[in-house]
Amino acid sequence: MKADQVEPNFFEKVYEVAKQIPYGRVTSYGAIAKFLGTARSARMVGWAMNASHAMEDVPAHRVVNRKGLLTGKFHFDGTNLMQQLLESEGIKVVDNQIVDFDTYFWDPQQINSEN
């Protein structure tokens, strides 16, 4: 990083990870926190996702809790928008939970291994 560049804040780092989540995949708040070296900060990742809804390039709908529950759904316009967005990507959701969560889970650690 150059001397005149500003270090991105935590929310910006979260958004950069979220932008890497592939279409049709999901990750968890905790997985993002762990990737960023702040494993106990899953709640802060949730706050970042909540604050990102005006950013169309941040796929907040792809971030769920560690059990695959759509815990952030109340922060989307319309009560079923998060589910609809996931289902439009081929992810089945029943009772606010992703079916076959392990199949769709994407680990941010893959960012480093793919480069």
Side-chain angles (χ1 to χ4, degrees):
M1 179 178 297
K2 296 179 181 177
D4 62 341
Q5 289 180 315
V6 177
E7 173 74 17
N9 70 35
F10 184 78
F11 279 24
E12 291 167 338
K13 290 177 183 179
V14 169
Y15 301 148
E16 287 307 309
V17 175
K19 290 175 186 179
Q20 302 297 316
I21 304 168
Y23 180 91
R25 303 291 296 276
V26 294
T27 197
S28 67
Y29 305 105
I32 292 175
K34 183 178 178 183
F35 175 78
L36 294 175
T38 57
R40 300 181 63 82
S41 299
R43 185 166 287 156
M44 282 187 63
V45 172
W47 292 335
M49 290 293 92
N50 184 33
S52 73
H53 293 295
M55 303 173 194
E56 292 184 19
D57 62 333
V58 177
H61 66 283
R62 295 183 188 148
V63 184
V64 297
N65 85 354
R66 63 187 171 94
K67 296 179 180 179
L69 289 168
L70 310 189
T71 53
K73 76 176 202 147
F74 299 108
H75 300 289
F76 284 82
D77 292 332
T79 55
N80 290 322
L81 181 59
M82 184 176 188
Q83 179 173 336
Q84 290 169 351
L85 290 169
L86 290 169
E87 289 176 338
S88 74
E89 295 185 19
I91 299 171
K92 186 174 181 182
V93 178
V94 175
D95 293 330
N96 297 315
Q97 186 163 16
I98 294 173
V99 176
D100 297 325
F101 178 59
D102 291 342
T103 301
Y104 298 104
F105 182 78
W106 175 79
D107 187 346
Q109 299 298 334
Q110 294 175 351
I111 292 172
N112 291 335
S113 66
E114 291 171 356
N115 294 335

